Amino acid sequence: MDKGIIQIYYGEGQGKTSAALGNAIRKASNGQSAYVVQFMKGQLDTEYLTRLEPEVKVFRFERCSEGFDALDEAEKQEQKQNIQNGLNFAKKALVTGQCDMLVLDEVLGLVKEGMATEDQILEVLQAKSLYTDVILTGRDSLPRVFDMADNILNIVPEKVRTVDIY
């Protein structure tokens, strides 16, 4: 069994989540299990992801359909608690070895939005067992989290074509 690694897909380009999900599917195709914990995604339709179960399980802890900036103070606090529940779940999954791969989708943006601290994300990563792979995605760079990573990929668009659809 290979030693598990920590990978980061970050940057302004698109495809970070797709790359992470591709790795989870590859893990599942090898007879292993993957958990995907999504943060900051709003109420996206994830029905297609449930077709990957039981090998790839997707978890979402957010309950609001609106962006964080549009929420009132009470809703922001509720959303923050939901995010904390997601981080606690991720840590528990790592401590107990429930999965061979854990994807923390959009987790890097939690610090900028004030939903979590870099220390909380580090605490989750420190719970990783020797053989579990962890993938983090998001737009932002977190220096101490990046120091823990084995692989960091900055997804930067080289060409962006905008198309007007009428």
Side-chain angles (χ1 to χ4, degrees), residues 26-134:
R26 184 172 56 204
K27 188 68 81 170
S29 71
N30 288 325
Q32 297 177 303
S33 64
Y35 281 9
V36 178
V37 181
Q38 292 189 314
F39 300 97
M40 311 289 286
K41 291 289 194 178
Q43 292 296 323
L44 294 177
D45 179 18
T46 57
E47 182 181 330
Y48 66 94
L49 293 175
T50 61
R51 296 180 194 164
L52 301 173
E53 291 187 2
E55 291 84 5
V56 178
K57 294 183 181 177
V58 180
F59 301 92
R60 306 189 72 212
F61 292 84
E62 294 174 75
R63 301 292 176 240
C64 278
S65 58
E66 299 191 28
F68 188 70
D69 293 340
L71 302 177
D72 65 33
E73 223 28 67
E75 292 170 321
K76 284 182 180 181
Q77 286 306 312
E78 180 181 348
Q79 192 73 324
K80 191 172 184 177
Q81 184 57 53
N82 292 336
I83 295 293
Q84 294 301 315
N85 291 341
L87 290 171
N88 290 336
F89 173 82
K91 182 178 177 183
K92 180 182 175 189
L94 290 173
V95 166
T96 60
Q98 292 176 353
C99 58
D100 300 300
M101 174 179 280
L102 176 66
V103 175
L104 299 173
D105 189 27
E106 296 297 339
V107 72
L108 299 175
L110 296 179
V111 175
K112 182 178 180 182
E113 293 295 332
M115 305 283 259
T117 65
E118 188 172 7
D119 286 336
Q120 289 172 311
I121 296 170
L122 286 168
E123 190 176 311
V124 171
L125 294 176
Q126 289 164 347
K128 181 182 109 44
S129 72
L130 185 62
Y131 300 108
T132 305
D133 291 323
V134 179

